[in-house]
Amino acid sequence: MSVLPNAKTPITRCELKSLYTRTMLGKFSDVAALNGLAAKLEDATNALLAREQAYNQQIKELIVIRVEVKFTDRLADQVVRLALKRAEIEDGRPGGRIVSTLFPGGSTPIIKPVGGTQIKEMRALEGRYTEIAAIYPAGSAELDKITAHRHRYEQALEARKLGMEAAAQARAARNLAKEEFLDVFAEVANRIKAAFPRDKKTQDLFFLKDKTDDGLDVGDDEEPEDEAATGTARSEE
């Protein structure tokens, strides 16, 4: 039965195990060998919780950014579809010169891709609008709309890239803080055992078991992967 936290122990359970050990250490203030251990463990715990909070904040911010990317993609699709319809009206007949020049494959090749690929297609569409300006002067208004939405899409994608980098950095900092926490906890455990040699019953007093007699469950579940900070966004590229 595990009593010490390990790399797979969720942060919330690390906090509980730390609190238990620190509280029990306070009951043995008369044992000089244990002096300072509670404070040292508390510092490591607080550092871990701070890094975890910072990481969670980055994940929340990334979620908001991903919403902007999805919504901006929708707006870009809409403006392209409307541009095609207005070009068809300008031609006055199916398969006219304006539509065949601007949208040789229809709107699908432009709006079906997402992310950087759609940006590339929208830029190409803007170029075709410039080339056909002489025979379609009314298209300048559509060109302005397409360009504005392409700019917004680019900004959203850049924000997502930066957000993912920030989340990855925050996660790495959290993981490092957890390693340092585990090292401190192991040191505390060793000092406790040294203070009470061959007295396992007393040693065990200082550590919260995964399943306790009072029904508190603090098992060492494996921490799940953070979807928002791993590869989810790659499917949107």
Side-chain angles (χ1 to χ4, degrees):
M1 181 179 294
S2 175
V3 293
L4 299 183
N6 56 56
K8 294 184 178 181
T9 305
I11 303 298
T12 53
R13 298 185 181 185
C14 286
E15 182 182 11
L16 290 178
K17 286 176 177 286
S18 171
L19 176 61
Y20 185 95
T21 297
R22 286 167 12 228
T23 303
M24 188 62 73
L25 283 167
K27 306 298 184 181
F28 289 80
S29 58
D30 59 326
V31 180
L34 303 182
N35 289 347
L37 293 185
K40 187 172 185 178
L41 182 55
E42 183 175 15
D43 288 344
T45 305
N46 289 339
L48 173 59
L49 296 178
R51 292 296 188 181
E52 173 73 352
Q53 183 178 15
Y55 173 60
N56 287 336
Q57 182 59 37
Q58 289 294 337
I59 292 299
K60 291 176 183 178
E61 293 176 7
L62 184 56
I63 290 296
V64 173
I65 293 171
R66 290 178 62 194
V67 169
E68 173 66 10
V69 170
K70 290 288 189 180
F71 186 66
T72 302
D73 176 73
R74 181 177 185 273
L75 293 179
D77 291 351
Q78 289 178 333
V79 76
V80 170
R81 290 193 188 97
L82 287 175
L84 172 58
K85 290 180 180 179
R86 291 193 174 97
E88 289 174 341
I89 293 173
E90 186 71 18
D91 272 334
R93 62 183 179 83
R97 181 181 178 185
I98 295 175
V99 171
S100 60
T101 301
L102 293 175
F103 302 93
S107 62
T108 300
I110 304 172
I111 64 177
K112 185 176 181 179
V114 294
T117 305
Q118 180 161 344
I119 292 296
K120 180 180 178 181
E121 293 295 334
M122 291 179 74
R123 282 186 178 275
L125 176 60
E126 291 171 40
R128 294 194 291 273
Y129 264 94
T130 301
E131 294 171 359
I132 206 173
I135 64 172
Y136 185 28
S140 62
E142 302 307 313
L143 174 58
D144 290 343
K145 294 176 185 177
I146 293 170
T147 301
H149 281 77
R150 191 253 304 163
H151 279 311
R152 178 174 176 177
Y153 204 164
E154 286 177 326
Q155 291 170 353
L157 291 174
E158 179 64 17
R160 187 183 69 185
K161 176 185 175 183
L162 295 176
M164 291 183 67
E165 291 174 353
Q169 292 172 359
R171 181 172 183 169
R174 188 278 310 272
N175 290 347
L176 178 59
K178 187 172 184 180
E179 290 179 8
E180 294 173 347
F181 165 83
L182 293 176
D183 287 343
V184 170
F185 212 118
E187 178 187 348
V188 169
N190 288 334
R191 295 272 296 275
I192 290 171
K193 292 175 182 178
F196 302 98
R198 298 180 301 280
D199 187 355
K200 192 172 187 306
K201 184 175 182 180
T202 299
Q203 293 174 11
D204 289 346
L205 284 176
F206 290 87
F207 306 107
L208 183 61
K209 297 181 176 63
D210 297 338
K211 296 286 186 178
T212 65
D213 293 337
D214 55 13
L216 180 62
D217 177 6
V218 287
D220 292 334
D221 294 343
E222 182 174 359
E223 251 181 317
E225 282 292 305
D226 301 286
E227 176 183 326
T230 52
T232 305
R234 286 196 293 270
S235 63
E236 300 167 3
E237 292 294 343

